[in-house]
Amino acid sequence: MPKNSKVTQREHSSEHVTESVADLLALEEPVDYKQSILNVAGEAGGKQKVAEGELDVEDRPAWNSKLQYILAQIGFSVGLGNIWRFPYLCQKNGGGAYLVPYLVLLIIIGIPLFFLELAVGQRIRRGSIGVWHYVCPRLGGIGFSSCIVCLFVGLYYNVIIGWSIFYFFKSFQYPLPWSECPVARNGTVAVVEPECEKSSATTYFWYREALDISNSISESGGLNWKMTLCLLVAWSIVGMAVVKGIQSSGKVMYFSSLFPYVVLACFLVRGLLLRGAVDGILHMFTPKLDKMLDPQVWREAATQVFFALGLGFGGVIAFSSYNKQDNNCHFDAALVSFINFFTSVLATLVVFAVLGFKANIMNEKCVVENAEKILGYLNTDVLSRALIPPHVNFSHLTTKDYAEMYKVIKTVKEDHFSALGLDPCLLEDELDKSVQGTGLAFIAFTEAMTHFPASPFWSVMFFLMLINLGLGSMIGTMAGITTPIIDTFKVPKEMFTVGCCVFAFFVGLLFVQRSGNYFVTMFDDYSATLPLTVIVILENVAVAWIYGTKKFMQELTEMLGFRPYRFYFYMWKFVSPLCMAVLTTASIIQLGVTPPGYSAWIKEEAAERYLYFPNWAMALLITLIVVAVLPIPVVFVLRHFHLLSDGSNTLSVSYKKGRMMKDISNLEENDETRFILSKVPSEAPSPMPTHRSYLGPGSTSPLETSGNPNGHYGSGYLLASTPESEL
């Protein structure tokens, strides 16, 4: 050892010696490390603690109970998409046949990656930025991208909660305001609103009364003041729920996570008692097997798995980071995934039971309207009465009688049948009418509820359920933003949370213009999906291929007390990355083949028309996608060329009088991290990353802790000067 080194100078002194890691790595002579007490700190001279048997010295908040944590994860993963997106995809993609690709992808992608996020969050006890900086500093940009995607989703998601709040307050009246078309008085003549007459009362209320929608995304139309107030209320509720972190949001979860199941159970019982409910449920479970081979169906199923479990958002990691190290996250992953799938199926049963009832109502209405047309043709001798079967009674016409009569008329009047304007009035046609996304909740379901006895009660319950489902997901989304930022930059929790809500409200005004619904479509269908897929792929790669699947499995064994199934090893290592790579490729090809667009409501036609996004909207869409994934390559390049410190240069080592340090000059390059961060198997790892990936508990530690009762060591860090704070 050089004679002028600090260690040599103070070998026999009674003072503490503090050396930088860079200086220690240059030393050459052996020392008696068994007699040393090692402390790793973020800054020389800072507050240091010798932790014996405990490496995580931060006073991190924790869940009050396991139930509160499980409810938080359920509240985040079970959201509005379970109520309307999953049933819509079932209806669109072959009914029961859609469940096959969804279940397969849930098993080989969803559950393994959900378990992975739970495990890394619980093990490292940081938000997404800290976790991925720890696992692989060069891929530390994953955490920042997760925060951006959470911001994008939170901006429009709370707008949907605002819509639910609007409908909730409108439900306290009888009859419901969307049950009938408005009538305008022109002197003594009552005129039904033409836009409503051409469509339906619920469709008119949604597009005109609620959204007051413009004809295209290019027509802003100004702010919708009703929805602006509802958005303000929505952000106020979210802000109050998350302002204190899990101390406040955890209590909210007891109601927001459990109440929707009470409502779903009530709707299921009520729905099964409705006339035609069985028709809807049978239609759902009748599989169209050709759909199972459609790549588009598999792509949509995979996207639904990502959104359903909240993969890549950072909310799962944030919630699990408040767990104890010995929590059984393996069980949690299976439990939450099962409850999520069960909720989706339960919601689909409710939706199809109610839609079966609605389809029967609409089919009977169709029969009545067309029967009146036939009577008119009979009275004007356009049709002969000989065409009508003798047993048909127009005063009590059944759908079976009408179908028989329709078939006879179509056969006899084949040449001129189209001029009669008769509809077949088939129940299957009504059941096949798929209403996408928000339309399922705010048009189809609301229309069905107008036919319920005590319809205002059911409407209040339904929209209160939507508000709570949205609130649970928004709490997780906000945690995906606030937890990593607070962990990394040590900003005041309350001030930062309130600032986020205020900022999001003003940016969210974009979505409460008259054209705002079209921007919701842009953000929901396009801006978050592709970046989210990239994030999940890189998370998998960072753990399985860079950090090392074997090391990760060893750490899980240490943390859980048992070794997880070998199944996860192969899923993380091979199957999941391959499937997600195929999914990403398919998504990119889909965007190239089918230009992005949206369904616009044309007031003059009182109908929807599919329009492509204009050039400026396409530029905005591409910008959003680039902004979401940009932190990943930026952080990679900066750290690859050492333009951004990973924090290793700020580490220091302290040791006491007369106690020598082990010779670390002969350590191989990959052993430097072991020297700094090695531990005994019973201890948890330091949550702070080094400039190389932590090698895990399965590796041999160069520090021995046996032989002398004083030969223990601890690892600490300064909260204000951690490596993450330099990002």
Side-chain angles (χ1 to χ4, degrees):
M1 182 179 293
K3 294 182 179 181
N4 59 351
S5 75
K6 295 178 184 177
V7 178
T8 303
Q9 292 172 3
R10 302 182 184 181
E11 276 182 0
H12 305 290
S13 70
S14 60
E15 302 177 6
H16 280 78
V17 177
T18 299
E19 290 271 58
S20 70
V21 172
D23 289 341
L24 284 174
L25 294 178
L27 301 180
E28 298 179 357
E29 295 184 11
V31 294
D32 184 7
Y33 67 91
K34 292 184 179 181
Q35 303 298 322
S36 68
I37 297 178
L38 176 64
N39 189 301
V40 181
E43 187 180 58
K47 180 180 180 181
Q48 300 175 353
K49 295 182 180 180
V50 179
E52 185 171 2
E54 181 179 359
L55 294 178
D56 188 2
V57 297
E58 182 185 3
D59 185 19
R60 188 171 184 80
W63 298 104
N64 292 335
S65 65
K66 179 65 174 284
L67 176 62
Q68 189 181 75
Y69 163 67
I70 292 296
L71 290 178
Q73 291 286 14
I74 292 173
F76 176 50
S77 64
V78 176
L80 298 174
N82 296 77
I83 302 299
W84 62 51
R85 183 170 176 81
F86 188 90
Y88 159 71
L89 291 174
C90 277
Q91 187 179 26
K92 173 188 174 186
N93 296 319
Y98 174 76
L99 298 179
V100 175
Y102 184 84
L103 270 175
V104 170
L105 293 173
L106 179 65
I107 293 172
I108 67 176
I109 295 180
I111 296 178
L113 296 183
F114 188 63
F115 178 33
L116 184 148
E117 290 199 358
L118 289 177
V120 295
Q122 180 174 308
R123 183 64 166 171
I124 302 171
R125 305 202 73 197
R126 287 292 180 273
S128 57
I129 296 176
V131 160
W132 301 116
H133 175 66
Y134 172 79
V135 172
C136 178
R138 289 184 180 179
L139 291 180
I142 295 175
F144 291 98
S145 289
S146 293
C147 291
I148 294 173
V149 171
C150 277
L151 175 62
F152 288 171
V153 172
L155 287 174
Y156 76 81
Y157 206 87
N158 224 22
V159 173
I160 301 175
I161 298 179
W163 296 342
S164 302
I165 292 172
F166 175 79
Y167 269 78
F168 173 75
F169 285 109
K170 287 289 186 179
S171 298
F172 289 94
Q173 51 186 300
Y174 183 83
L176 292 171
W178 51 82
S179 60
E180 297 178 353
C181 285
V183 177
R185 290 285 178 181
N186 184 7
T188 58
V189 180
V191 180
V192 177
E193 177 65 39
E195 185 180 4
C196 183
E197 190 175 21
K198 293 178 183 177
S199 54
S200 68
T202 50
T203 303
Y204 174 83
F205 187 88
W206 166 241
Y207 283 119
R208 192 55 51 211
E209 296 292 337
L211 301 182
D212 193 18
I213 201 166
S214 61
N215 284 359
S216 72
I217 195 172
S218 300
E219 301 175 23
S220 169
L223 290 177
N224 182 337
W225 67 268
K226 293 178 289 187
M227 288 306 168
T228 302
L229 290 177
C230 291
L231 180 63
L232 179 61
V233 173
W235 275 113
S236 299
I237 295 173
V238 171
M240 288 187 290
V242 302
V243 68
K244 295 291 185 181
I246 62 171
Q247 284 81 7
S248 57
S249 63
K251 296 179 177 63
V252 174
M253 286 297 183
Y254 283 111
F255 181 77
S256 65
S257 297
L258 294 176
F259 178 74
Y261 289 96
V262 175
V263 177
L264 282 176
C266 293
F267 265 101
L268 180 61
V269 174
R270 184 68 187 91
L272 292 176
L273 296 176
L274 294 172
R275 177 170 49 87
V278 176
D279 295 327
I281 294 175
L282 289 177
H283 180 76
M284 167 197 165
F285 283 108
T286 302
K288 299 177 182 177
L289 299 180
D290 58 312
K291 290 285 188 178
M292 292 175 56
L293 303 178
D294 188 350
Q296 177 70 9
V297 173
W298 287 80
R299 188 181 71 85
E300 291 184 345
T303 302
Q304 177 63 15
V305 168
F306 288 167
F307 276 93
L309 293 177
L311 300 177
F313 287 98
V316 173
I317 294 175
F319 282 159
S320 64
S321 71
Y322 299 113
N323 267 334
K324 295 180 180 179
Q325 286 273 329
D326 59 352
N327 175 65
N328 188 352
C329 58
H330 178 267
F331 172 77
D332 298 344
L335 176 64
V336 175
S337 299
F338 169 77
I339 291 176
N340 187 289
F341 177 71
F342 168 78
T343 307
S344 296
V345 174
L346 176 63
T348 304
L349 284 172
V350 171
V351 168
F352 274 84
V354 174
L355 291 184
F357 167 68
K358 172 180 173 288
N360 274 269
I361 295 290
M362 300 306 295
N363 192 54
E364 290 174 359
K365 183 180 178 181
C366 176
V367 169
V368 171
E369 291 176 350
N370 283 271
E372 291 177 354
K373 289 183 181 179
I374 294 175
L375 280 174
Y377 293 143
L378 292 175
N379 293 332
T380 57
D381 295 328
V382 174
L383 293 177
S384 171
R385 292 187 180 273
L387 298 177
I388 308 302
H391 65 275
V392 171
N393 184 354
F394 278 91
S395 60
H396 297 88
L397 188 64
T398 65
T399 54
K400 182 179 179 181
D401 290 341
Y402 174 78
E404 183 180 352
M405 186 168 54
Y406 176 87
K407 184 178 180 180
V408 171
I409 296 173
K410 185 177 181 180
T411 303
V412 175
K413 295 287 186 178
E414 183 176 358
D415 297 335
H416 308 285
F417 181 78
S418 59
L420 299 176
L422 298 178
D423 298 316
C425 297
L426 298 176
L427 182 62
E428 291 74 15
D429 291 343
E430 289 292 338
L431 291 170
D432 283 333
K433 290 181 180 178
S434 58
V435 183
Q436 183 175 1
T438 54
L440 183 61
F442 295 102
I443 297 177
F445 211 87
T446 53
E447 183 174 354
M449 286 189 296
T450 59
H451 301 286
F452 284 15
S455 55
F457 168 78
W458 293 104
S459 184
V460 167
M461 294 286 285
F462 178 71
F463 290 108
L464 185 58
M465 177 187 70
L466 293 188
I467 293 170
N468 280 275
L469 285 171
L471 179 60
S473 297
M474 275 301 300
I475 289 174
T477 302
M478 289 297 294
I481 300 172
T482 58
T483 298
I485 298 297
I486 292 171
D487 284 348
T488 302
F489 301 105
K490 311 305 173 187
V491 296
K493 181 191 300 180
E494 290 81 2
M495 186 180 300
F496 178 70
T497 302
V498 172
C500 282
C501 292
V502 172
F503 171 79
F505 166 73
F506 283 106
V507 177
L509 295 178
L510 172 71
F511 303 98
V512 291
Q513 304 176 93
R514 291 181 59 202
S515 60
N517 188 46
Y518 306 138
F519 287 96
V520 171
T521 301
M522 176 190 291
F523 275 68
D524 187 24
D525 292 349
Y526 301 105
S527 67
T529 302
L530 186 58
L532 194 64
T533 308
V534 173
I535 289 170
V536 175
I537 289 176
L538 292 179
E539 287 181 353
N540 198 162
V541 170
V543 172
W545 290 92
I546 299 177
Y547 191 85
T549 311
K550 290 183 179 179
K551 288 185 292 185
F552 187 57
M553 291 289 281
Q554 288 172 351
E555 293 201 359
L556 288 181
T557 302
E558 174 190 335
M559 183 173 70
L560 300 174
F562 63 89
R563 189 173 186 83
Y565 297 121
R566 195 73 178 171
F567 163 81
Y568 292 105
F569 179 91
Y570 294 109
M571 293 300 106
W572 289 333
K573 191 78 173 179
F574 305 109
V575 180
S576 296
L578 179 62
C579 291
M580 289 186 293
V582 172
L583 170 65
T584 305
T585 304
S587 299
I588 295 174
I589 293 175
Q590 180 70 19
L591 286 176
V593 173
T594 306
Y598 61 100
S599 293
W601 178 258
I602 309 301
K603 180 178 180 180
E604 293 73 21
E605 301 174 5
E608 289 184 340
R609 184 194 301 172
Y610 189 83
L611 302 177
Y612 295 117
F613 286 117
N615 292 335
W616 65 267
M618 283 298 300
L620 175 61
L621 175 58
I622 294 172
T623 301
L624 291 172
I625 294 175
V626 171
V627 168
V629 299
L630 189 61
I632 299 174
V634 167
V635 172
F636 182 88
V637 170
L638 291 178
R639 287 198 170 134
H640 181 75
F641 293 102
H642 307 291
L643 299 176
L644 179 67
S645 172
D646 59 13
S648 61
N649 292 334
T650 65
L651 292 174
S652 62
V653 179
S654 297
Y655 47 91
K656 288 187 176 180
K657 65 171 185 174
R659 296 181 179 178
M660 306 294 290
M661 304 299 296
K662 180 184 177 182
D663 177 16
I664 59 176
S665 62
N666 294 326
L667 289 175
E668 295 179 0
E669 184 178 6
N670 288 337
D671 292 334
E672 296 167 10
T673 304
R674 279 202 203 97
F675 175 76
I676 296 170
L677 292 176
S678 59
K679 61 187 185 303
V680 294
S682 62
E683 293 179 307
S686 168
M688 302 314 302
T690 65
H691 64 293
R692 295 180 180 86
S693 300
Y694 169 64
L695 297 181
S699 56
T700 304
S701 172
L703 289 181
E704 302 293 339
T705 57
S706 60
N708 190 305
N710 294 326
H712 61 276
Y713 67 95
S715 166
Y717 49 88
L718 289 178
L719 301 185
S721 59
T722 63
E724 293 177 342
S725 64
E726 296 184 357
L727 298 178

